Amino acid sequence: MIARHRPRPKAEAYLRLRTLPGEQAQVDWGHFGHLQIGRARRPLMAFVMVLSSSRRIFLRFFLDARMESFLAGHVEAFEAWAGVPRFSLYDNLKSAVLERRDDRHPLQPDPDRLSPRTIAMSRARWP
């Protein structure tokens, strides 16, 4: 009876994007607190890459979110999957996006070190 009088939550609109296999991957960092290693307190960071078509996940923990770890995460994901997605999407994370300018997001210069063998094209995703 109460259900009839209780206001119903508004339906959320969303668009589920479908991609072809091998078309794109989404990349981000996750923070999992800190670890005490000796006298040093280190962040526990997770590099996460998800294939958009299959939702297959690659996850690797690092003790930092530096560019070297970011690049190593890419290479290890590509090796684990025995392939490279055509595009990698970055959600404005500092490891990939140099700065935000209106609708353009220049990428950090270092991802080019991955070479055409490991990454065909990268794109920053704008909000």
Side-chain angles (χ1 to χ4, degrees):
M1 179 164 158
I2 295 174
R4 284 189 285 170
H5 300 288
R6 181 182 298 157
R8 296 181 188 256
K10 290 185 178 181
E12 292 185 42
Y14 66 93
L15 174 64
R16 179 156 174 88
L17 299 176
R18 298 194 186 274
T19 60
L20 296 172
E23 184 70 18
Q24 81 177 25
Q26 297 175 22
V27 182
D28 210 346
W29 283 111
H31 185 260
F32 284 81
H34 291 83
L35 294 175
Q36 194 71 32
I37 301 174
R39 287 192 261 168
R41 187 170 184 253
R42 305 283 305 270
L44 182 59
M45 303 299 294
F47 172 87
V48 183
M49 184 180 285
V50 180
L51 293 176
S52 299
S53 63
S54 65
R55 298 315 227 188
R56 187 171 177 191
I57 295 173
F58 175 85
L59 181 134
R60 163 98 158 58
F61 286 100
F62 290 94
L63 295 176
D64 59 50
R66 290 188 224 153
M67 183 58 73
E68 291 303 317
S69 300
F70 186 66
L71 297 175
H74 280 80
V75 171
E76 290 178 32
F78 300 153
E79 289 173 352
W81 293 332
V84 179
R86 186 167 168 217
F87 300 102
S88 294
L89 296 179
Y90 304 105
D91 193 13
N92 300 321
L93 69 159
K94 290 180 185 177
S95 300
V97 178
L98 188 58
E99 64 181 287
R100 295 180 69 171
R101 283 192 234 146
D102 300 323
D103 63 342
R104 295 181 309 128
H105 296 70
L107 297 176
Q108 291 281 6
D110 285 346
D112 293 339
R113 295 188 320 195
L114 286 173
S115 83
R117 181 186 73 78
T118 54
I119 191 164
M121 181 181 286
S122 301
R123 292 182 178 169
R125 192 177 81 193
W126 20 102

